[in-house]
Amino acid sequence: MNDFMFRMPTRVIFGVGACKNVPQLCKEQGFARMFVVTGRTSTRKSAHLLTLLAELGKVGIVTQVYSDVEADPSVETVTNGAAAMAAFAADAIIAFGGGSPMDAAKSISMISANGGSILDYMLVRKAYTKRGVPLICIPTTAGTGSEVTAAAVTTDKETHRKIGVSSDFQMPAFAIIDPELHVSMPLSVTAATGIDALTHAIEAYIAVKANPVTDSLALSAIKMIGENLRLACGNGADLTARGNMALASLIAGGAFTNAGLGAVHGIAHPVGAQFGVAHGVANGIMLPYVMEYCLVANYQKFRDIAIALGQDVAGLELQNAAQLSVEAVTLLKQDIGIPATLAEVGVPAEALEGIVKDASTYRQLGNSPRPLDENDLRIIISQALAL
Ligand SMILES: [Fe+2]
């Protein structure tokens, strides 16, 4: 067995109505001024956020809301947020929303403490040397796992590149997981974020850097998603399915922040940055193509995935059992309405080389169980483009 390290410092508070704990948590921690980062979408007007702000006000906590975060937060959004937070002199941050507000909040916190521009950390790989102000993440989607991970992704709109920055210093201090916040999530968002969580779990499980702890987390997340994502999509008010998906997303986050990701994310980032395809949708499209290509590298683990997703592998040769993992993911995708090809979401055939070029620079490509060079990526992406 290989040596490994595992870390997950975030204090997790899970439960229906868990948001009610936030004012008391802030008081306990001595936070008097909270900078609240949220999205431009309906989330900023949600009754849950308005109630939270009112409850914080009742115990004397001053808040300032920064609701300029777009899907795939930009360099400008991080820069402006850091300036606004500095002017407000916050004690801590609350990130309320999906992966975009949570990632933006992480970067805002880190830039405030470490100085410079987020571009310094994205492009020249400058390392953070200090913690930012503490971060309380309250996810309203079940997919990103950002509430427990070390990573934050920012999009450089000028060069159309999405780049993740990873640092233990930006792991959130607290994650409040309240399934009630997920009930109003639209079907399309439930499906896209849910398949993102499945991608995290599968990429972590087959990763070169996987270890026994991440394997345990990843496999249980895969099973929970297989059992609950259809239910959450079919009936958004099903609090048990919502809670299980929220938990699976967090568990998958704990797995991938330690084991890393792979080629699905490496390809999904340029697809998202160049063509505006939602992160979860891009991952969902690419997932079976990358799995199929990587099967040969670890039949045993793909067989485990097939079983976790409910496939009957009794009496099958290992290779055939492993193949069922791809079938199971494809069926799940069909059932929840994730497109089958990049062509279906408007990515043209001419985009092939641009996506290959960008994906080949992905920092975690070496974490793929099957080593992938540009030619391998070209084959996989060509298939997804239906060329
Ligand atoms: Fe992701």
Side-chain angles (χ1 to χ4, degrees):
M1 190 178 288
N2 295 329
D3 297 348
F4 71 92
M5 180 187 74
F6 180 86
R7 76 268 191 261
M8 202 178 107
T10 307
R11 189 200 297 181
V12 176
I13 302 172
F14 176 89
V16 173
C19 255
K20 292 191 180 79
N21 295 301
V22 176
Q24 183 57 30
L25 175 66
C26 292
K27 295 293 276 184
E28 271 174 26
Q29 298 293 317
F31 303 154
R33 299 176 67 78
M34 302 300 293
F35 190 67
V36 181
V37 177
T38 189
R40 289 178 184 167
T41 58
S42 56
T43 310
R44 74 192 162 99
K45 294 179 192 155
S46 82
H48 291 293
L49 178 57
L50 298 177
T51 301
L52 174 61
L53 295 172
E55 293 299 317
L56 288 166
K58 280 184 196 167
V59 295
I61 294 168
V62 182
T63 56
Q64 179 168 313
V65 176
Y66 180 67
S67 61
D68 285 352
V69 182
E70 69 277 59
D72 301 330
S74 65
V75 170
E76 291 70 28
T77 296
V78 171
T79 304
N80 295 341
M85 191 176 81
F88 175 65
D91 296 321
I93 305 181
I94 292 174
F96 188 97
S100 296
M102 286 193 281
D103 280 11
K106 285 176 172 174
S107 298
I108 288 168
S109 170
M110 299 312 291
I111 292 305
S112 300
N114 291 270
S117 160
I118 186 68
L119 281 171
D120 301 335
Y121 304 91
M122 292 162 65
L123 300 181
V124 295
R125 302 282 181 228
K126 192 173 159 189
Y128 294 131
T129 57
K130 294 180 198 159
R131 283 186 192 288
V133 300
L135 174 59
I136 301 173
C137 281
I138 308 178
T140 59
T141 62
T144 166
S146 192
E147 65 273 15
V148 292
T149 71
V153 178
T154 307
T155 300
D156 182 353
K157 306 270 182 196
E158 285 189 12
T159 58
H160 299 288
R161 293 196 71 202
K162 286 175 83 161
I163 299 176
V165 176
S166 191
S167 167
D168 283 8
F169 286 132
Q170 66 180 348
M171 294 179 102
F174 304 94
I176 312 295
I177 313 298
D178 186 345
E180 262 184 4
L181 305 187
H182 297 206
V183 165
S184 59
M185 203 191 327
L187 166 60
S188 60
V189 180
T190 303
T193 52
I195 211 81
D196 184 29
L198 180 64
T199 308
H200 296 156
I202 290 177
E203 293 214 284
Y205 190 63
I206 60 176
V208 170
K209 289 195 300 173
N211 66 55
V213 180
T214 60
D215 278 354
S216 172
L217 293 173
L219 206 53
S220 89
I222 293 166
K223 188 167 190 305
M224 289 173 81
I225 294 165
E227 291 172 349
N228 290 279
L229 182 52
R230 287 181 179 88
L231 294 172
C233 287
N235 174 13
D238 182 338
L239 264 182
T240 303
R242 288 295 196 189
N244 284 332
M245 280 306 301
L247 205 48
S249 166
L250 181 145
I251 292 170
F256 91 77
T257 204
N258 287 280
L261 295 169
V264 182
H265 275 75
I267 298 168
H269 281 176
V271 167
Q274 293 176 31
F275 298 96
V277 179
H279 176 71
V281 173
N283 275 325
I285 291 170
M286 292 312 307
L287 182 57
Y289 297 101
V290 173
M291 288 173 69
E292 179 87 49
Y293 201 78
C294 292
L295 277 179
V296 291
N298 197 332
Y299 286 130
Q300 184 61 52
K301 280 204 156 174
F302 282 102
R303 178 181 181 273
D304 296 341
I305 293 169
I307 294 169
L309 289 174
Q311 295 291 309
D312 181 3
V313 302
L316 292 181
E317 297 280 340
L318 183 59
Q319 186 174 342
N320 295 334
Q323 181 66 41
L324 287 183
S325 65
V326 183
E327 322 301 334
V329 167
T330 303
L331 274 177
L332 175 57
K333 278 179 55 180
Q334 283 171 0
D335 287 349
I336 62 172
I338 300 288
T341 69
L342 291 173
E344 285 175 50
V345 291
V347 180
E350 307 81 67
L352 174 63
E353 288 307 317
I355 299 172
V356 169
K357 183 165 170 282
D358 194 329
S360 67
T361 68
Y362 183 57
R363 269 187 298 168
Q364 301 196 62
L365 204 56
N367 202 29
S368 166
R370 179 174 176 178
L372 302 174
D373 62 18
E374 277 199 24
N375 201 43
D376 299 304
L377 291 172
R378 192 171 289 111
I379 293 167
I380 295 168
I381 298 164
S382 296
Q383 290 168 347
L385 280 165
L387 295 178

